Amino acid sequence: MFYNSTQDKTKAVLSAQAIAQGISQDGGLFVPESFPQITEEELKAMLSMSYQDRAKCIIAKYLTDFTEEEIADCVDSAYTVEKFGSENPAPLATVDFNGAELNLLELWHGPTCAFKDMALQILPHFLTKSLQKAGGGKDAVILVATSGDTGKAALEGFKDVDHTKIIVFYPVNGVSAMQKHQMNTQEGDNVYVCAIRGNFDDAQTAVKKIFTDTDTQAVLKEHNMMFSSANSINWGRLLPQIVYYVSAYCDMVNKGKVAFGDKINITVPTGNFGNILAGYYAYQMGLPVKKFICASNSNNVLTDFIRTGVYNKNRDFYTTVSPSMDILVSSNLERLLYCMSGNNDVETKGYMDLLKSEGMYTVSAPLQDKLQSMFWGGYADENATERTIHDLFLQQHYLCDTHTAVAVSVCDAYIRETGDNTPVVIASTASPYKFSKAVLGALDQGEMPESEFDMVEQLHEITGAEVPAPLASLRGKQTRFSDVTDKEDMQSVVLGALGINTNP
Ligand SMILES: *Cc1c(COP(=O)(O)O)cnc(C)c1O
């Protein structure tokens, strides 16, 4: 299986190189040349498999330059009971909300309590093996721009992994108190964390630029290092996410929520478009899906795009209670455009060039038709998000985080507007305790405590929902990182963190 660049189809590399490199040199993203199929027989066989075995089946279809043993080793090291609390790292919880049955796919039982762990616990294993195959013995420098959850999950996945160094940038006012605390107290000898004055898009743009800068690449090469990425532009991030949609379908069948072969709907709270794209890729492999419901917060650029075919990032940026979705440039949309244009690299590059120069583009009519046949877009503002947390708890005694609440709210609107009662899976992406202030505020129960950890405690007292151990243990932990930089200085911060002096 080869991987092509979305902006230059003539590039074709094996998965190890795609993963080691992270992004194609032309600025495009690596995509599989075609989608391997899951036959009906295979899907049936997966019904009785563990999550881990389902993962091995699906991953083997894509990493054809890895041996079966290597893939088994990656999967078995990543999805352990120790790290995810139970045999199935992605369990389904069913609730009734406003009269409809919703199946919440809880993806936040990993070490950092957000769905990013599903990919970032396995990516370091993929990457170290990829470096052996395609990295020429170099050390990998992982550059991360984060809106909160990726940063911590990547730090936790890569800490003290041989031949890797990891540098994380986050917007100084764009993450929750718990997220900041999680990152600033990170342990490990190969980690560095820095805040930037700017928003997530500023961080992501600067990281992409440093990443593809040939001078910086040459300097790294001299020091036997190379850049790689743990953002969802890396193929090694998306691939493990395909698995849980297939696994969720199997669990839905096993629980009697859907008849084998019948379609489901999938709702995803969306930011960078990685999670929902992985679901779409599962559909491309043959998973029976009717509709993808793309849920946004007040940064509703994707809602407008799906409804009108116009992507326009020239708009106000809002800092919301669901910070991991505060994004106006959804990187992985590029992969969807490539797929929906029939693998047309010229057309895709055209849209991306317009996005860079004008901040907007309009897709062709056939592409818009295709988009609307599979996707429905909606958004939840701050009020709707808080009301959903409140009502879901009141109705079902189920506590959800702010991002999941956006998805529940939009899914609820979709069902009411369309009358579509296809069984639905909603990606539940974070533990409510990562966003205690907003969640507690939404429940509207008395005075708000001052400190983050007192909020956690109060939330626990009110709801009885278990506080995840990795969050509870942060209390009183020493801060290791407190640097803040301007976005213009990120490049020198990177070189400094690597111990490279460029002006002798
Ligand atoms: C990252 C994140 C999202 C958005 O996922 P994308 O793959 O960027 O679309 C949603 N919710 C939470 C909690 C996240 O951490």
Side-chain angles (χ1 to χ4, degrees):
M1 155 95 54
F2 283 97
Y3 292 79
N4 302 131
S5 162
T6 49
Q7 297 193 25
D8 178 3
K9 223 158 115 156
T10 61
K11 295 247 170 66
V13 302
L14 290 169
S15 77
Q17 194 180 337
I19 292 170
Q21 224 175 296
I23 191 170
S24 182
Q25 191 54 49
D26 51 74
L29 307 182
F30 288 117
V31 285
E33 58 184 346
S34 65
F35 288 96
Q37 295 300 300
I38 306 171
T39 63
E40 203 181 303
E41 216 166 282
E42 282 174 307
L43 190 60
K44 207 161 245 169
M46 279 190 214
L47 293 177
S48 57
M49 287 184 194
S50 66
Y51 186 91
Q52 292 72 9
D53 287 342
R54 291 169 185 165
K56 287 170 202 169
C57 285
I58 292 162
I59 291 168
K61 289 176 185 288
Y62 287 98
L63 306 190
T64 52
D65 49 335
F66 282 55
T67 65
E68 204 176 307
E69 292 71 37
E70 285 172 328
I71 291 170
D73 183 50
C74 291
V75 170
D76 292 334
S77 318
Y79 303 115
T80 62
V81 176
E82 191 201 5
K83 286 176 176 157
F84 286 86
S86 71
E87 211 46 69
N88 182 355
L92 279 173
T94 302
V95 296
D96 277 304
F97 184 65
N98 294 349
E101 187 176 89
L102 310 177
N103 300 283
L104 295 162
L105 177 61
E106 294 182 346
L107 300 170
W108 42 265
H109 293 285
T112 76
C113 308
F115 89 92
K116 306 291 199 292
D117 288 327
M118 296 301 295
L120 282 161
Q121 281 299 313
I122 198 167
L123 179 66
H125 299 287
F126 286 160
L127 185 69
T128 44
K129 289 182 170 59
S130 296
L131 286 171
Q132 287 160 12
K133 292 174 195 289
K138 292 193 196 65
D139 286 358
V141 177
I142 317 292
L143 279 191
V144 182
T146 184
S147 55
D149 289 328
T150 297
K152 177 60 183 180
L155 288 162
E156 203 52 41
F158 279 99
K159 74 167 181 220
D160 294 329
V161 172
D162 285 346
H163 301 294
T164 69
K165 288 193 166 64
I166 171 159
I167 301 172
V168 171
F169 292 100
Y170 69 87
V172 66
N173 293 320
V175 301
S176 82
M178 185 63 90
Q179 289 177 317
K180 195 176 281 191
H181 201 60
Q182 279 186 305
M183 289 189 278
N184 286 347
T185 58
Q186 178 65 44
E187 292 168 5
D189 291 333
N190 62 339
V191 306
Y192 176 72
V193 176
C194 185
I196 71 145
R197 295 181 196 95
N199 62 32
F200 170 74
D201 289 319
D202 296 325
Q204 175 159 268
T205 305
V207 159
K208 239 179 147 176
K209 200 163 146 218
I210 298 170
F211 215 93
T212 44
D213 181 63
T214 42
D215 292 343
T216 315
Q217 285 173 349
V219 173
L220 255 68
K221 203 168 171 190
E222 277 168 35
H223 292 79
N224 201 35
M225 298 180 211
M226 66 185 277
F227 282 130
S228 190
S229 166
N231 278 95
S232 55
I233 53 174
N234 193 317
W235 173 246
R237 267 287 296 278
L238 279 179
L239 174 56
Q241 296 183 241
I242 297 174
V243 174
Y244 52 71
Y245 290 107
V246 178
S247 183
Y249 185 85
C250 293
D251 291 346
M252 288 282 284
V253 172
N254 288 340
K255 285 181 150 194
K257 303 286 178 199
V258 69
F260 182 81
D262 284 359
K263 290 179 177 176
I264 59 169
N265 284 341
I266 293 177
T267 305
V268 184
T270 297
N272 223 0
F273 212 78
N275 202 5
I276 195 167
L277 181 76
Y280 182 74
Y281 281 179
Y283 160 73
Q284 288 289 320
M285 295 178 78
L287 195 73
V289 181
K290 181 175 173 196
K291 207 90 183 183
F292 289 96
I293 298 147
C294 176
S296 300
N297 64 22
S298 299
N299 295 293
N300 56 1
V301 59
L302 287 166
T303 310
D304 290 346
F305 174 63
I306 291 166
R307 294 186 178 182
T308 65
V310 180
Y311 193 96
N312 188 352
K313 70 156 191 163
N314 304 314
R315 58 177 71 211
D316 289 339
F317 177 92
Y318 299 104
T319 300
T320 73
V321 290
S322 45
S324 300
M325 296 156 66
D326 290 346
I327 293 174
L328 292 180
V329 183
S330 298
S331 299
N332 272 298
L333 194 59
E334 179 171 343
R335 284 184 163 115
L336 184 75
L337 298 175
Y338 181 80
C339 190
M340 290 197 151
S341 65
N343 294 357
N344 190 327
D345 52 347
V346 177
E347 184 174 340
T348 308
K349 183 170 169 17
Y351 297 139
M352 291 305 110
D353 286 348
L354 278 169
L355 184 63
K356 241 179 261 162
S357 61
E358 313 293 326
M360 68 178 290
Y361 58 85
T362 306
V363 293
S364 70
L367 206 159
Q368 192 188 343
D369 286 347
K370 250 189 186 169
L371 180 70
Q372 289 176 342
S373 72
M374 278 315 291
F375 287 84
W376 192 88
Y379 75 100
D381 64 15
E382 300 290 87
N383 281 335
T385 306
E386 287 176 10
R387 199 170 54 239
T388 302
I389 294 171
H390 179 269
D391 293 354
L392 183 56
F393 185 72
L394 206 72
Q395 294 177 25
Q396 295 283 298
H397 215 78
Y398 184 91
L399 192 65
C400 77
D401 92 293
T402 47
H403 304 75
T404 306
V406 167
V408 170
S409 171
V410 171
C411 186
D412 181 54
Y414 169 79
I415 293 168
R416 275 185 290 110
E417 268 181 46
T418 62
D420 181 2
N421 59 2
T422 304
V424 63
V425 169
I426 299 181
S428 171
T429 49
S431 159
Y433 287 105
K434 278 193 102 161
F435 306 94
S436 294
K437 187 174 183 183
V439 172
L440 192 56
L443 295 183
D444 196 18
Q445 306 239 354
E447 196 126 320
M448 184 69 73
E450 293 242 323
S451 94
E452 179 76 13
F453 289 98
D454 289 340
M455 293 176 203
V456 168
E457 214 156 273
Q458 185 163 332
L459 201 52
H460 173 67
E461 273 164 26
I462 295 169
T463 65
E466 199 183 332
V467 182
L471 298 183
S473 69
L474 284 178
R475 189 165 206 163
K477 216 167 167 188
Q478 194 80 31
T479 295
R480 284 186 73 197
F481 302 101
S482 52
D483 293 347
V484 186
T485 188
D486 288 317
K487 60 188 180 211
E488 293 76 20
D489 298 331
M490 281 168 61
Q491 177 152 6
S492 53
V493 168
V494 167
L495 295 175
L498 297 175
I500 297 173
N501 186 357
T502 45
N503 4 294

